[in-house]
Amino acid sequence: MTRGLSRRALLGGTVGGLALASALTGPAATAAAAATRAAGAGNRRGAVGPEPYVPVAVGAGGGPAGTDRVHVLKIGPDTAQTVLVLVPGMFGAAGDFRLMARDLVAAVPGVQVWAFDRREENLADRSGFATPDPAGYYLDGHYRSQDPAASAYAAGWGLTRTLDDLDTVVRTAACGGRRRVVLGGHSWGATTAMTYAAWDFDGRPGYRGLSALVLVDGGVRGAFKGTGQPVSDSPEEVRERLAAIDGGAVFDMTLSGVGLGSRAESTQIWYQLAGWYAHHDPAGRSVLQPRLPDALRPPSPVTNAGLLGTLVDVGFGWPNDISVHSGRLADADAGGVRGWVDTGITPMSRVAAAYAGGPQPAVWEWYWPSRLSVDLDVADPYADTGLARSLGLRLWHAGALDTPLYAFQTSYAKGAIASGARDVVANSRIPYGTYATDDGMTHLDPLFADTPHNTLTRTLAPFLTALR
């Protein structure tokens, strides 16, 4: 979902968010009651549906039994002649795309979306979401966790492994050339899609199997420079990061800065729990609030939907990477409990439905390989550099790309997404690029925004229609 977060920014968001929570006031109780109904049990916009979640066998990766496979969440008709394969970003999973994909396939007949889950998704124990007490299962430590010291195999799960797996999915989607395949992604998933297009698969350029490329708030050629999160790709930085991986730091720990735990998966578990309770009992008093760390606990009682709102809404000071424009806490009801008021483009019910997942597919990937972070940083120049070659990155065909490209950007990177995409188009054989911007969106809004307010799906639909 996100490319990478500053620990300072995260902790700043924590403090600022709680200060804001204590000061928030809303309209009269009648409006609060209406908002509670909007976020209540009767509202199931974006509820999880029966779309198939299909395993795809891939090459051996040295991991535990059952990890030599990826998964695809399929949204739309199997009879579609165009398959849009979407790759989630850092810490993202296939569930990121479920809601926007439903909107997209409804707008563009003849398109099916395949949302890609990387092989590391097999490491997560999500069985607790099928139990009567998910909070107890996870927060009391009953789940199966991955010990980095026993996970040396993950040191090899970098970009080469990911692209080999993705290639299997792309070729499966193509069905022997009988269907068009459009490849895209969100955030670092967009970067992954671009590296696939330029990759050399034993003499076969990746772009030759594609009809178009779709970049959603991510990419290459400085696409993230406007975020204030510099790419760590100098030879010295890369050597230090590889040494850390060799020393056992095989999983990226960026999200530990949120303050919800020190394990690789801690924050993701909390987010999914918050979504699960907000989805299944939005108006009920928060199950998780008493168990939150002091720094993140709202100062007054909230509902399950209200708690999720304090963890994801941009108004609580969270960085652009992990927030949405949803609304605010309602005035307290007669019992002193505050619900959630939807005032933004992304209703909390949709965030809850997406975050809930459970058991599969989900929105948050638990175990992001540190080596994949290194490789994606080094791939940013989108060139066959000496450093890229030293890491085994086969970015040999960037200048030969010849498929149409669509790029969408939010306020996240301050214009750098489109600038990077235009640079790629100008220095390749891509026939045309289509660019769209909505500065009123955060990095996650395009994934979960309500249908009438989602500029991504509204502008991507005609691009896909024109390919036919």
Side-chain angles (χ1 to χ4, degrees):
M1 276 187 160
T2 176
R3 179 189 156 267
L5 299 166
S6 159
R7 181 177 176 86
R8 179 179 300 172
L10 284 167
L11 295 180
T14 299
V15 176
L18 291 180
L20 181 59
S22 64
L24 277 174
T25 59
T30 53
T36 299
R37 288 194 299 272
N43 184 341
R44 285 294 181 265
R45 284 182 296 175
V48 172
E51 292 97 349
Y53 186 64
V54 181
V56 179
V58 291
T67 58
D68 290 335
R69 61 180 183 173
V70 296
H71 286 80
V72 171
L73 174 65
K74 296 183 178 181
I75 302 99
D78 286 331
T79 56
Q81 291 302 301
T82 300
V83 178
L84 171 59
V85 178
L86 290 174
V87 183
M90 188 182 192
F91 299 114
D96 282 358
F97 299 113
R98 187 196 294 269
L99 300 182
M100 60 82 66
R102 288 176 179 171
D103 293 343
L104 197 60
V105 300
V108 188
V111 169
Q112 185 181 47
V113 174
W114 287 21
F116 173 65
D117 254 341
R118 290 168 284 259
R119 67 171 60 217
E120 49 265 31
E121 181 62 17
N122 297 297
L123 300 174
D125 173 13
R126 300 191 191 273
S127 61
F129 291 99
T131 69
D133 181 20
Y137 184 83
Y138 290 106
L139 301 185
D140 293 334
H142 300 300
Y143 72 97
R144 184 190 70 251
S145 180
Q146 297 298 317
D147 181 3
S151 306
Y153 57 85
W157 287 8
L159 188 56
T160 298
R161 171 60 55 204
T162 297
L163 293 185
D164 282 346
D165 294 350
L166 181 58
D167 187 49
T168 299
V169 170
V170 168
R171 297 174 77 177
T172 301
C175 196
R178 291 187 290 277
R179 292 186 292 198
R180 303 180 197 86
V181 177
V182 177
L183 180 60
H186 173 253
S187 194
W188 254 355
T191 310
T192 303
M194 291 300 293
T195 59
Y196 177 93
W199 201 260
D200 185 85
F201 294 94
D202 295 325
R204 173 176 54 87
Y207 71 86
R208 283 192 183 163
L210 305 177
S211 294
L213 290 160
V214 170
L215 313 182
V216 181
D217 230 21
V220 292
R221 298 271 172 89
F224 300 101
K225 65 183 179 182
T227 66
Q229 302 161 15
V231 173
S232 301
D233 62 351
S234 72
E236 295 76 20
E237 289 171 314
V238 169
R239 280 196 295 270
E240 290 177 4
R241 294 169 74 182
L242 292 178
I245 293 171
D246 290 341
V250 296
F251 298 128
D252 194 297
M253 298 297 295
T254 299
L255 282 178
S256 64
V258 172
L260 288 169
S262 59
R263 300 191 63 88
E265 72 277 9
S266 298
T267 298
Q268 298 91 308
I269 287 174
W270 271 100
Y271 280 148
Q272 188 167 351
L273 283 170
W276 194 91
Y277 285 104
H279 179 58
H280 291 280
D281 186 17
R285 187 157 177 169
S286 173
V287 173
L288 299 175
Q289 186 174 4
R291 306 194 65 164
L292 271 174
D294 290 346
L296 289 171
R297 190 181 304 123
S300 58
V302 296
T303 64
N304 287 312
L307 184 76
L308 179 62
T310 67
L311 293 175
V312 303
D313 190 83
V314 69
F316 288 82
W318 295 110
N320 192 300
D321 295 44
I322 57 172
S323 61
V324 296
H325 287 98
S326 181
R328 57 176 176 79
L329 287 172
D331 287 343
D333 63 15
V337 180
R338 304 177 74 177
W340 187 257
V341 180
D342 283 333
T343 60
I345 62 175
T346 302
M348 194 53 57
S349 60
R350 284 176 68 92
V351 179
Y355 275 38
Q360 295 283 4
V363 160
W364 291 94
E365 182 180 293
W366 290 13
Y367 302 103
W368 178 274
S370 297
R371 177 57 191 266
L372 186 52
S373 296
V374 173
D375 289 349
L376 287 168
D377 267 346
V378 172
D380 179 71
Y382 210 50
D384 184 29
T385 65
L387 184 57
R389 288 206 172 212
S390 73
L391 296 178
L393 308 185
R394 302 165 66 91
L395 298 168
W396 300 355
H397 304 291
L401 267 61
D402 62 0
T403 61
L405 180 146
Y406 166 94
F408 179 84
Q409 63 182 359
T410 69
S411 60
Y412 170 55
K414 299 177 176 60
I417 303 295
S419 294
R422 291 179 189 276
D423 190 16
V424 171
V425 171
N427 291 281
S428 69
R429 296 187 294 162
I430 291 177
Y432 63 90
T434 299
Y435 312 96
T437 299
D438 189 336
D439 286 329
M441 285 183 148
T442 64
H443 195 47
L444 299 188
D445 278 326
L447 302 179
F448 311 127
D450 210 3
T451 306
H453 304 298
N454 197 330
T455 309
L456 167 63
T457 52
R458 192 166 61 249
T459 56
L460 178 55
F463 174 83
L464 294 175
T465 299
L467 297 175
R468 295 182 296 175

